[in-house]
Amino acid sequence: MASKKSILYLFDVDGTLTKPRQVITEELKQFLLDKVKSKVAVGLVSGSDYVKIAEQMDGAEVAAKFDYVFCENGVVQYRGGKLVSSESILSHLGEKLLQRVINFALGYMSNIELPAKRGNFVEFRSSMINICPVGRSCSQAERDEFVKFDAVHSIRQKFVDALKGEFADAGLTFALGGQISVDVFPTGWDKTYCLNHVADQKFEEIHFFGDKTMPGGNDYEIYNDSRTIGHKVTSPDDTKEQLEKCLSIE
Ligand code: M1P
């Protein structure tokens, strides 16, 4: 195997290192930072913002131990706990288009009935907007209820289809990132964006581990990118098992 410095292992967070929006287990955290990091460089790449990623890694101190933390698909980049670079969706799209998207989304969501609706339907981040029919301030029980409802009624997929139809030529991507929401960002600002930040490191291999690797999922592009070796996982336990095999960890 090539030396530690020349191999990078990149991990999606929700569904790959943690249960959706939950904190990483102590066991997996130790395994990654002791065993995996002693063999390869390690990085996180998530659709979520830094606050959520740090929370799910059990605190900013732990997140800072990863060699790279790529938030919002890598359009926002942290190293050693410090913000290194970011882009603004507002500057990129302009107020007019941004408002058209937000107004359309709010109008669409006002016409659907769900088991529950709470608050924070549009979360404005540096480089993406996250649109959530149930509302991001829902409880865990309400989140679980939406997930079941969505599996039967395809609420988010229909929403994505409507957004794609309305904004066909706007250069926007609508991705099913997690369980309850849709990520909206300029086309190209998907997870492959983070690979630009490591290009100068000349890694011999870049491995990516993620669960949403199907078309429309937010791991699809990076999983299929020619610069990465993609590993599809089904849960944090599966990620650990695959890592044990790939890196011959007993
Ligand atoms: O897995 C990454 C996703 O995590 C959250 O998704 P949800 O709340 O829908 O489960 C969001 O932060 C989303 O932006 C992100 O892609």
Side-chain angles (χ1 to χ4, degrees):
M1 184 193 289
S3 73
K4 164 178 159 48
K5 286 292 162 216
S6 68
I7 297 183
L8 172 62
Y9 274 30
L10 283 173
F11 301 95
D12 163 53
V13 176
D14 291 83
T16 298
L17 295 186
T18 73
K19 289 186 181 159
R21 293 292 302 116
Q22 310 263 312
V23 176
I24 192 168
T25 63
E26 195 58 32
E27 187 194 356
L28 185 53
K29 182 173 85 182
Q30 295 306 335
F31 177 77
L32 286 169
L33 294 174
D34 294 344
K35 304 228 162 118
V36 178
K37 199 181 166 197
S38 70
K39 291 182 177 255
V40 295
V42 289
L44 304 172
V45 53
S46 170
S48 289
D49 54 26
Y50 183 72
V51 172
K52 293 187 187 67
I53 296 176
E55 194 180 277
Q56 288 179 252
M57 286 304 107
D58 202 17
E61 259 180 47
V62 180
K65 290 184 181 158
F66 285 83
D67 298 297
Y68 302 93
V69 178
F70 297 122
C71 321
E72 302 184 35
N73 293 344
V75 187
V76 176
Q77 178 191 187
Y78 276 76
R79 291 194 69 174
K82 300 264 178 295
L83 177 67
V84 178
S85 61
S86 72
E87 294 288 340
S88 150
I89 190 172
L90 174 58
S91 314
H92 191 85
L93 298 188
E95 186 66 42
K96 205 165 177 178
L97 176 56
L98 201 56
Q99 275 203 36
R100 270 186 57 215
V101 176
I102 291 173
N103 289 343
F104 179 85
L106 289 171
Y108 183 96
M109 288 189 289
S110 73
N111 284 315
I112 44 179
E113 205 169 308
L114 300 172
K117 276 194 187 180
R118 296 299 175 258
N120 195 4
F121 299 100
V122 177
E123 186 170 88
F124 189 79
R125 302 180 185 161
S126 308
S127 67
M128 70 163 67
I129 44 179
N130 178 264
I131 306 177
C132 182
V134 57
R136 297 207 64 78
S137 58
C138 65
S139 65
Q140 184 63 45
E142 289 155 356
R143 169 182 279 265
D144 296 342
E145 193 179 30
F146 177 85
V147 173
K148 282 191 198 136
F149 193 80
D150 192 36
V152 175
H153 300 282
S154 306
I155 299 294
R156 290 185 308 155
Q157 189 54 58
K158 288 180 193 159
F159 191 10
V160 164
D161 293 344
L163 285 159
K164 278 185 177 163
E166 183 70 18
F167 297 100
D169 301 318
L172 290 171
T173 294
F174 305 95
L176 297 181
Q179 291 183 303
I180 59 169
S181 60
V182 174
D183 290 332
V184 183
F185 47 82
T187 299
W189 290 16
D190 55 65
K191 288 185 181 178
T192 59
Y193 195 99
C194 78
L195 300 175
N196 303 326
H197 298 313
V198 296
D200 60 346
Q201 298 298 307
K202 306 264 180 272
F203 285 110
E204 280 171 34
E205 291 173 18
I206 300 176
H207 293 247
F208 171 75
F209 294 77
D211 65 324
K212 300 271 182 333
T213 56
M214 67 302 266
N218 71 347
D219 295 329
Y220 176 77
E221 290 87 357
I222 190 168
Y223 173 77
N224 288 292
D225 194 282
S226 59
R227 291 166 289 181
T228 65
I229 298 165
H231 302 263
K232 180 176 175 50
V233 302
T234 54
S235 66
D237 287 345
D238 184 36
T239 303
K240 185 165 180 275
E241 272 174 34
Q242 293 201 34
L243 285 169
E244 283 165 347
K245 279 191 196 131
C246 289
L247 295 170
S248 309
I249 298 172
E250 301 275 299

